[in-house]
Amino acid sequence: MPLPQESIYTIEDIYALPEGTRAELIDGQIYFMAPPSRKHQDITFALSRKIADYIDSKGGSCKTYIAPFAVFLNENDKNYVEPDISVICDQNKLNDKGCVGAPDWIIEIVSPGSRRTDYFTKLFKYRTAGVREYWIVDPDKSRTMVYNFESEDTLEYSFSDSVQSGIYPDFVIDFGELNF
């Protein structure tokens, strides 16, 4: 008896999902997402506001986007993600649908249903796609993991620490000052 074959999905399948269904596509596999919690949204908003304000204060050209924002990581139809926060510095990667190629900086806020995907699947995918920096903010563990793929550094911070960005050496977020 032949083994059942796994279905390989495409971006077309993601767009065909019922209205309001949130899902990502990684290497042809669909990962459905639950609605984020209020705390998740508070963290996303606080961090994205700090980052956008910093970029604006420096007159930078990078753009900050929060989910749902489409990121087409690879030049194929098998990868579509919606990072919680994406920072894109190459304006040529942006079109009306989202970002085509790797953002410079991605932040994911861990939810109970996304833990494995954020720590393993996306870590590998973002690294190989060319993301420069990846933060995993974990409210349950009150910690932030910072992966600087350019320098190969991995650092762990608590929610009482100040965290320095790798792509903006003079930018620090003091997690102790954030209200979430």
Side-chain angles (χ1 to χ4, degrees), residues 127 131-133 146-155 166:
R127 179 190 306 263
V131 171
R132 295 168 55 197
E133 184 168 353
V146 174
Y147 298 89
N148 184 323
F149 297 137
E150 293 180 318
S151 67
E152 299 293 321
D153 289 336
T154 301
L155 300 168

Side-chain angles (χ1 to χ4, degrees), residues 26-27 31 116-126:
I26 301 174
D27 295 330
Y31 294 82
R116 184 171 178 76
T117 305
D118 291 340
Y119 276 101
F120 299 103
T121 308
K122 287 184 176 180
L123 173 64
F124 174 76
K125 196 72 198 166
Y126 292 159

Side-chain angles (χ1 to χ4, degrees), residues 98-148:
C99 176
V100 179
D104 293 270
W105 183 8
I106 288 178
I107 300 174
E108 294 284 8
I109 292 52
V110 177
S111 297
S114 73
R115 180 169 303 285
R116 184 171 178 76
T117 305
D118 291 340
Y119 276 101
F120 299 103
T121 308
K122 287 184 176 180
L123 173 64
F124 174 76
K125 196 72 198 166
Y126 292 159
R127 179 190 306 263
T128 58
V131 171
R132 295 168 55 197
E133 184 168 353
Y134 176 41
W135 288 18
I136 301 173
V137 179
D138 194 330
D140 288 345
K141 295 186 177 188
S142 297
R143 77 170 184 199
T144 300
M145 299 296 299
V146 174
Y147 298 89
N148 184 323

Side-chain angles (χ1 to χ4, degrees), residues 10 17-18 37 41 43 45 50 54 68 74 76 80 96 100 113 115 126 129 131 140 166 177:
T10 67
L17 291 171
S37 68
Q41 293 299 85
I43 294 169
F45 181 74
K50 289 267 187 200
Y54 168 80
N74 303 96
N76 64 35
Y80 166 96
D96 287 342
V100 179
R115 180 169 303 285
Y126 292 159
V131 171
D140 288 345
E177 288 180 355

Side-chain angles (χ1 to χ4, degrees), residues 1-9 28-29:
M1 171 184 253
L3 292 173
Q5 293 189 345
E6 256 186 57
S7 294
I8 300 296
Y9 297 96
Q29 297 303 302

Side-chain angles (χ1 to χ4, degrees), residues 5-77:
Q5 293 189 345
E6 256 186 57
S7 294
I8 300 296
Y9 297 96
T10 67
I11 292 168
E12 209 171 281
D13 295 309
I14 291 290
Y15 281 108
L17 291 171
E19 183 81 25
T21 302
R22 292 204 51 221
E24 295 178 305
L25 181 69
I26 301 174
D27 295 330
Q29 297 303 302
I30 293 179
Y31 294 82
F32 290 97
M33 298 184 293
S37 68
R38 185 179 62 82
K39 184 171 188 173
H40 181 284
Q41 293 299 85
D42 286 343
I43 294 169
T44 301
F45 181 74
L47 292 175
S48 63
R49 182 176 58 195
K50 289 267 187 200
I51 295 165
D53 287 350
Y54 168 80
I55 292 168
D56 289 347
S57 75
K58 298 292 184 177
S61 62
C62 299
K63 295 287 199 178
T64 305
Y65 296 95
I66 59 172
F69 177 74
V71 174
F72 306 92
L73 279 176
N74 303 96
E75 293 190 27
N76 64 35
D77 63 350

